[in-house]
Amino acid sequence: MAPRNGKSPMAIWKSSPARAALRARRTSAIANCTWTVQTLTVVATCGSITVYRNTQGQLVAPGWVGTIKLGTNGNNTIAGGSGRDLLLGLGGNDRLDGKAGDDLICAGAALVALPLDLRRRYIAKVQELLPVGAQQFVNTLEYAPLLPEPPFSITPAEVAAYYGETHQIQHLEAPLLPEHGMVRKFGLSYLKEHGFLLTKQGLGCGA
């Protein structure tokens, strides 16, 4: 295209009132635009659900529809309501009390902290408190050689013996952790961390 009045089409466009008006509208739109960046901190993982704390201090869990209740000092009593609750006891001594059949309870690694007799009593008490349909996420460690102190080694077969008669057991994960601190400290030949999602099917306690 031939230049008009000695100017190229691009030069004419750059100096036109239409371009100036368009740039003004675009600048105004950018000035009035606000971006919010949320910083999320991981609080806990419970099965396939990860709980975060956002910059406002609120607990959020993508994919979870319901309330989230968290123990703060390790000695809380955390009770579910009539709705859907995710109960997180991360201190080791929290008492978690599900009230409805759709509660999900995450009690950390309570089993591996308890010797066999207390472990069985703990399982029996949780069985007493949980309604049918309630879920809990259980972490265990499996390693060799066995140690006489916590955290104790608990295999998937032992979890099945504790819960198999009354729970549906989903074995979610079992990563081998050769770099775990316990492997170096105690000279273990291997260490696995197991994650189980348990859904209560009936009353009573496993073996």
Side-chain angles (χ1 to χ4, degrees):
M1 180 180 294
R4 187 174 63 184
N5 298 326
K7 295 183 179 181
S8 69
M10 180 58 69
I12 294 172
W13 164 247
K14 286 184 177 180
S15 61
S16 69
R19 180 174 183 266
L22 178 62
R23 292 189 65 182
R25 287 198 299 271
R26 186 169 58 189
T27 302
S28 175
I30 292 174
N32 291 321
C33 208
T34 302
W35 287 269
T36 301
V37 178
Q38 286 277 6
T39 301
L40 300 178
T41 303
V42 175
V43 174
T45 300
C46 194
S48 62
I49 298 172
T50 301
V51 179
Y52 303 90
R53 192 184 303 278
N54 64 21
T55 50
Q56 286 76 42
Q58 300 165 323
L59 296 174
V60 294
W64 176 259
V65 180
T67 61
I68 303 171
K69 298 186 178 182
L70 172 67
T72 56
N73 61 27
N75 292 290
N76 299 100
T77 295
I78 310 170
S82 58
R84 198 162 187 247
D85 299 302
L86 171 55
L87 309 183
L88 296 169
L90 306 179
N93 297 310
D94 294 316
R95 180 184 175 217
L96 307 180
D97 188 358
K99 298 294 186 182
D102 53 5
D103 288 327
L104 176 58
I105 292 181
C106 242
L111 290 191
V112 298
L114 300 173
L116 184 59
D117 180 58
L118 289 178
R119 192 182 311 154
R120 285 175 170 158
R121 289 162 56 188
Y122 167 83
I123 292 170
K125 188 62 177 178
V126 172
Q127 287 276 41
E128 176 187 329
L129 294 173
L130 292 185
V132 173
Q135 293 180 305
Q136 55 181 312
F137 182 74
V138 171
N139 271 117
T140 71
L141 298 177
E142 176 190 352
Y143 57 80
L146 300 182
L147 299 175
E149 60 190 50
F152 296 103
S153 177
I154 301 175
T155 67
E158 290 175 280
V159 171
Y162 297 143
Y163 296 102
E165 293 182 5
T166 57
H167 285 73
Q168 176 189 353
I169 302 174
Q170 294 176 258
H171 193 177
L172 301 178
E173 56 187 2
L176 187 65
L177 304 176
E179 303 301 320
H180 195 284
M182 287 182 61
V183 174
R184 298 189 297 273
K185 181 176 180 180
F186 298 107
L188 303 178
S189 59
Y190 76 94
L191 183 145
K192 291 182 180 180
E193 183 176 8
H194 297 281
F196 303 91
L197 182 63
L198 311 178
T199 304
K200 188 173 180 181
Q201 303 295 304
L203 301 177
C205 184

